Amino acid sequence: MPLFYSIAKVAEMLDVKPSYLRYIEKEFSFIKPYKDKHGNRRYTDKDLEIIRRIIYLRSIGYTMDGVKEQMKRVKTQDQAQDPSNMDNRLEVIENLQQIRFFLEEIKKEL
């Protein structure tokens, strides 16, 4: 599986128009696909998961405001279920710092 998907590929996969994906981005500020140096959107699997949820909620009759409310609830529940969220981030930062130090040591030896 690729790391990133183009807007055309995501639109094809989800059976929606690219303009609908851009609309969803405007409505939901937390959906921020990576943009390459040419400005092309590159969606991750996580982006697809969120967009699928939005499309599903719309398909069962939720308004956009209703979808936003549901997404807030899900986000709040996820955060409540993972109180170590900040600890995980700090652990990742520490690991990255160790890797950086290790790479700097290797660079010195070259």
Side-chain angles (χ1 to χ4, degrees):
M1 284 192 143
L3 293 175
F4 296 104
Y5 304 92
S6 70
I7 192 168
K9 183 65 176 172
V10 172
E12 177 187 325
M13 290 167 62
L14 302 178
D15 196 28
V16 297
K17 294 185 184 290
S19 60
Y20 186 67
L21 295 172
R22 288 189 290 272
Y23 169 69
I24 288 175
E25 283 178 43
K26 288 179 187 175
E27 290 294 316
F28 299 91
S29 60
F30 53 86
I31 299 176
K32 294 194 186 296
Y34 164 75
K35 291 188 180 178
D36 65 17
K37 65 183 178 181
H38 302 291
N40 298 318
R41 289 167 171 81
R42 300 293 180 207
Y43 294 87
T44 63
D45 287 328
K46 181 70 175 171
D47 294 329
L48 267 81
E49 178 184 326
I50 294 168
I51 295 167
R52 278 189 183 105
R53 186 178 297 163
I54 292 168
I55 291 170
Y56 170 72
L57 291 171
R58 291 287 291 147
S59 75
I60 61 171
Y62 278 84
T63 63
M64 272 306 211
D65 287 337
V67 172
K68 288 176 186 177
E69 189 60 38
Q70 284 294 99
M71 297 303 282
K72 283 181 193 174
R73 285 187 190 140
V74 168
K75 186 176 179 182
T76 302
Q77 288 171 353
D78 287 350
Q79 289 173 345
Q81 291 174 358
D82 187 10
S84 64
N85 194 20
M86 186 54 116
D87 292 341
N88 290 339
R89 290 182 191 168
L90 292 174
E91 185 178 340
V92 169
I93 290 170
E94 288 173 4
N95 288 339
L96 289 172
Q97 288 172 335
Q98 289 174 354
I99 292 169
R100 181 178 181 186
F101 175 78
F102 178 74
L103 290 173
E104 287 173 350
E105 290 299 314
I106 291 173
K107 184 177 176 182
K108 287 178 188 175
E109 292 179 15
L110 294 177

